[in-house]
């Protein structure tokens, strides 16, 4: 059955009520029809026949946007019980004025979203459910795996990095009967977030990319991060498969006590086990290797992406994808926006290359990016524009200092540091700086800084130079590229 012929509601009235343990607003007249064909937690994304689930945020309460959601066509609305108690008369009046809308009271709207999403996933028992988590590389691994598996199956994934306590539940509502495989990445910003969203998807194939230091400020230690990431395996049966990076120092811990089969992947796994033989690192032109004797070139730059490729290959082999299909999938990959994009750019008479890696930054991914720059042999010089690494907690100052030392050691001719925390990187850089290295520092990360940084780069670059842009998502360093491209209107976008 195709999407066009899919049922007129994602969940029936009984399925939704049972999942969320909800009840109608008392005294509301019975509606003649129950139907919703999309789900939204943002009133701006509500369309006709949406289920609107208002969430309680740190700065505002989504319940205040119920009128806007109704105006845009919401057909079902969930309401937190405590909010209903505090606004009973107001909500009864709204319900009375919208007799064609179902208003359902639940204990917690976030938990109700997750429970409804789990009930929806359960409607597709034949769907091969794949979950991917890790401190870095989740999205890249997901995109590689999707490209490979799409060569034989109809695949659905979460878009971008909609991988959170709300993003993943919203994403699974896009599953349709024609989908054979669902690949969903799972992120976390707090304790047990992986556990909650694993309960939504219940992945039978679950993959961990690595245990790094992303969010260490929130969880306190890499061991605590490993404990949380391991929860992705919680719903695997004896028929499931756990994919674990062999060279991660938490590999043994991740594999303890699991049901199902364990597949270890990574550059140190022998060809006799993995079927993969490394040939060469081609720098910005990707990596060459053999899979079952078939030569493949992955176009993504950086040897660190080779491990992401190996993860996707291990997954593909477990699903019996032949080497030629793996080849066609991997070689079809294009750069993922904000994640190691290689952007040729002409500035005045100079042709330079920008490596735009602005989607996230933590000590692991920053070090990998700098190692990649160090491995290059460009015709020109190496230039680094580095922004703050966020959510590192007490370890932040030391981590930034170390990155500053490292960027000096790799011989970058020119470095621009941006952000409060990068003041510590400036100190580290200064302790190792050579006389021929130039550095600038901006504390602010506003549009004026992006414009100034672009102007400095424009005046400095020469033909053949390579420029790395790397920082946490909130800094939006890609605005510098936009300014260099003459799109100054995007610098404050």
């Amino acid at each position: 059955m195709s999407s066009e012929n899919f049922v007129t509601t994602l969940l029936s009235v009984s399925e939704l009520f049972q999942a969320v343990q909800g009840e109608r607003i008392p005294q509301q007249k019975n509606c003649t029809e129950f139907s919703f064909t999309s789900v939204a937690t943002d009133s701006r994304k509500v369309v006709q026949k949406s289920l609107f689930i208002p969430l309680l945020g740190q700065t505002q309460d989504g319940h205040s946007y119920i009128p806007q959601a109704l105006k845009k066509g919401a057909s079902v609305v969930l309401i937190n019980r405590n909010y209903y108690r505090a606004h009973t008369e107001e909500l009864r009046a709204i319900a009375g004025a919208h007799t064609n809308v179902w208003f359902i009271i639940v204990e917690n709207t976030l938990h109700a979203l997750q429970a409804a999403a789990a009930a929806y996933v359960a409607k597709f028992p034949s769907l091969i459910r794949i979950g991917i988590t890790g401190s870095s590389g989740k999205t890249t691994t997901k995109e590689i795996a999707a490209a490979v598996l799409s060569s034989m199956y109809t695949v659905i994934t979460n878009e971008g990095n909609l991988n959170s306590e709300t993003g993943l539940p919203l994403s699974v509502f896009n599953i349709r009967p024609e989908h054979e495989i669902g690949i969903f990445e799972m992120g976390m910003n707090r304790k047990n977030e992986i556990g909650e969203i694993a309960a939504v998807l219940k992945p039978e194939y679950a993959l961990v990319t690595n245990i790094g230091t992303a969010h260490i400020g929130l969880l306190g230690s890499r061991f605590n991060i490993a404990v949380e990431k391991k929860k992705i395996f919680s719903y695997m049966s004896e028929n499931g498969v756990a994919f674990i990076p062999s060279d991660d120092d938490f590999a043994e811990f991740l594999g303890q006590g699991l049901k199902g089969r364990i597949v270890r992947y990574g550059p140190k796994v022998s060809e006799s086990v993995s079927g993969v033989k490394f040939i060469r690192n081609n720098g910005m032109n990707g990596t060459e290797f053999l899979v079952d004797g078939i030569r493949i070139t992955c176009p993504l730059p950086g040897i660190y992406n080779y491990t992401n490729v190996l993860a996707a290959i291990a997954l593909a082999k477990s699903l019996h994808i032949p080497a030629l299909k793996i080849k066609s999938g991997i070689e079809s990959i294009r750069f993922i926006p904000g994640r190691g994009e290689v952007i040729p750019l002409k500035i005045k008479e100079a042709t330079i290359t920008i490596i735009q890696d602005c989607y996230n930054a933590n000590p692991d991914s920053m070090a990998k990016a700098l190692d990649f720059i160090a491995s290059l042999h460009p015709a020109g010089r190496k230039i680094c524009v580095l922004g703050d690494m966020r959510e590192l907690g007490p370890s932040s100052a030391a981590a930034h200092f170390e990155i500053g030392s490292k960027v000096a050691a790799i011989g970058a001719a020119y470095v621009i540091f941006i952000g409060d925390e990068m003041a510590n990187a400036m100190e580290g850089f200064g302790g190792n700086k050579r006389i021929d290295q130039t550095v600038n520092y901006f504390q602010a990360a506003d549009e004026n800084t992006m414009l100034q940084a672009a102007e400095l780069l424009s005046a400095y670059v020469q033909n053949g130079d390579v420029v790395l842009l790397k920082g946490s998502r909130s800094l939006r360093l890609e605005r510098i590229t936009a300014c260099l491209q003459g799109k100054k209107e995007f610098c404050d976008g």
Side-chain angles (χ1 to χ4, degrees):
M1 183 166 54
S2 68
S3 295
E4 290 76 12
N5 297 321
F6 194 48
V7 292
T8 57
T9 183
L10 298 181
L11 290 171
S12 69
V13 61
S14 60
E15 288 170 335
L16 181 62
F17 271 80
Q18 182 176 354
V20 305
Q21 296 295 294
E23 62 182 83
R24 296 285 300 278
I25 283 187
Q27 301 173 357
Q28 186 191 7
K29 294 180 180 179
N30 289 330
C31 300
T32 56
E33 179 186 1
F34 178 93
S35 175
F36 67 93
T37 54
S38 66
V39 182
T41 58
D42 184 337
S43 63
R44 294 168 296 184
K45 296 181 179 179
V46 170
V47 296
Q48 287 291 324
K49 299 187 75 173
S50 285
L51 164 60
F52 177 57
I53 305 180
L55 301 175
L56 181 62
Q58 293 182 341
T59 58
Q60 58 185 344
D61 190 332
H63 290 82
S64 61
Y65 295 95
I66 290 175
Q68 289 91 323
L70 294 171
K71 187 174 181 179
K72 296 188 74 174
S75 57
V76 185
V77 176
L78 301 191
I79 300 169
N80 187 292
R81 187 176 301 280
N82 286 337
Y83 187 88
Y84 176 75
R85 287 169 178 162
H87 302 83
T88 301
E89 295 306 317
E90 174 190 348
L91 289 168
R92 285 187 176 181
I94 291 174
H98 295 82
T99 56
N100 60 329
V101 177
W102 289 68
F103 294 86
I104 303 172
I105 302 168
V106 298
E107 288 299 322
N108 180 297
T109 49
L110 172 60
H111 295 163
L113 166 64
Q114 295 169 346
Y120 183 72
V121 172
K123 295 175 66 123
F124 302 91
S126 63
L127 181 77
I128 299 171
R129 304 180 308 280
I130 300 171
I132 298 175
T133 193
S135 295
S136 59
K138 295 184 294 295
T139 301
T140 302
T141 302
K142 178 196 71 179
E143 295 297 332
I144 298 169
V148 172
L149 299 186
S150 293
S151 65
M152 288 186 64
Y153 295 94
T154 303
V155 175
I156 181 154
T157 69
N158 38 1
E159 295 181 6
N161 72 327
L162 288 175
N163 59 15
S164 66
E165 61 186 2
T166 58
L168 183 132
L170 289 172
S171 295
V172 301
F173 278 110
N174 292 319
I175 298 170
R176 295 294 181 266
E178 65 265 29
H179 295 131
E180 298 168 293
I181 291 180
I183 309 174
F184 294 90
E185 66 174 275
M186 300 179 176
M188 69 175 185
N189 286 296
R190 60 172 176 81
K191 188 175 181 180
N192 201 41
E193 188 168 2
I194 294 293
E196 290 180 11
I197 58 181
V200 172
L201 184 64
K202 296 181 174 61
E204 278 286 86
Y205 293 74
L207 186 151
V208 175
T209 59
N210 50 52
I211 303 298
T213 53
H215 309 307
I216 197 167
L218 299 172
L219 292 169
S221 71
R222 287 183 65 224
F223 176 75
N224 290 342
I225 292 170
V227 169
E228 294 303 315
K229 296 294 186 183
K230 187 175 180 178
K231 292 177 181 178
I232 194 172
F233 303 126
S234 298
Y235 295 89
M236 273 186 3
S237 71
E238 290 78 3
N239 296 321
V241 185
F243 299 86
I244 295 174
S246 64
D247 55 354
D248 194 286
D249 48 2
F250 284 92
E252 183 178 350
F253 169 76
L254 290 172
Q256 290 173 353
L258 300 187
K259 294 180 180 179
R261 184 164 60 94
I262 295 176
V263 172
R264 301 188 186 277
Y265 69 90
K268 294 180 182 178
V269 176
S270 68
E271 181 184 2
S272 62
V273 174
S274 69
V276 184
K277 181 179 180 180
F278 177 79
I279 297 178
R280 68 176 61 87
N281 173 17
N282 292 327
M284 284 189 290
N285 295 317
T287 310
E288 284 184 63
F289 49 91
L290 301 177
V291 175
D292 297 338
I294 303 295
R295 183 180 293 264
I296 300 175
T297 299
C298 174
L300 299 180
I303 194 65
Y304 56 90
N305 272 320
Y306 179 55
T307 301
N308 299 329
V309 169
L310 291 173
I313 291 171
L315 181 58
K317 280 180 158 288
S318 289
L319 291 168
H320 311 294
I321 307 291
L324 285 174
K325 293 289 187 180
I326 292 174
K327 175 182 173 69
S328 64
I330 290 175
E331 294 187 346
S332 73
I333 297 165
R334 296 297 172 259
F335 297 118
I336 302 167
R339 301 173 188 270
E341 290 177 274
V342 177
I343 304 173
L345 191 62
K346 192 170 183 65
I347 299 178
K348 298 175 183 176
E349 299 303 314
T351 298
I352 67 169
T353 301
I354 293 178
I355 300 171
Q356 186 167 276
D357 199 348
C358 308
Y359 206 87
N360 60 30
N362 55 62
D364 305 308
S365 64
M366 187 74 82
K368 288 175 181 176
L370 292 177
D371 286 340
F372 170 55
I373 294 298
S375 72
L376 298 178
H377 301 284
R381 302 161 300 177
K382 300 172 184 180
I383 300 166
C384 296
V385 182
L386 306 181
D388 282 351
M389 301 177 289
R390 299 284 169 85
E391 298 180 348
L392 298 184
S395 65
S396 182
H400 283 85
F401 185 94
E402 186 175 340
I403 288 300
S405 300
K406 187 176 182 71
V407 73
I410 69 169
Y414 182 30
V415 182
I416 299 176
F417 294 114
I418 298 175
D420 292 329
E421 296 292 342
M422 278 296 165
N424 296 295
M426 273 287 289
E427 290 186 31
F429 184 85
N432 293 274
K433 178 180 177 294
R434 298 195 317 246
I435 194 169
D436 60 341
Q437 290 178 306
T438 304
V439 64
N440 283 104
Y441 170 65
F442 296 94
Q443 183 177 18
D446 56 16
E447 60 269 18
N448 187 53
T449 291
M450 303 304 154
L451 184 56
Q452 288 185 66
E455 290 172 346
L456 287 170
L457 289 170
S458 183
Y460 181 83
V461 295
Q462 298 173 1
N463 199 53
D465 287 352
V466 173
V467 182
L468 169 68
L469 300 182
K470 178 73 175 173
S472 284
R473 182 76 211 100
S474 56
L475 276 74
R476 306 197 327 273
L477 293 183
E478 68 274 8
R479 292 180 289 172
I480 295 173
T481 304
C483 292
L484 288 170
Q485 292 171 325
K487 304 173 184 176
K488 292 186 173 60
E489 68 271 19
F490 294 110
C491 288
D492 59 356

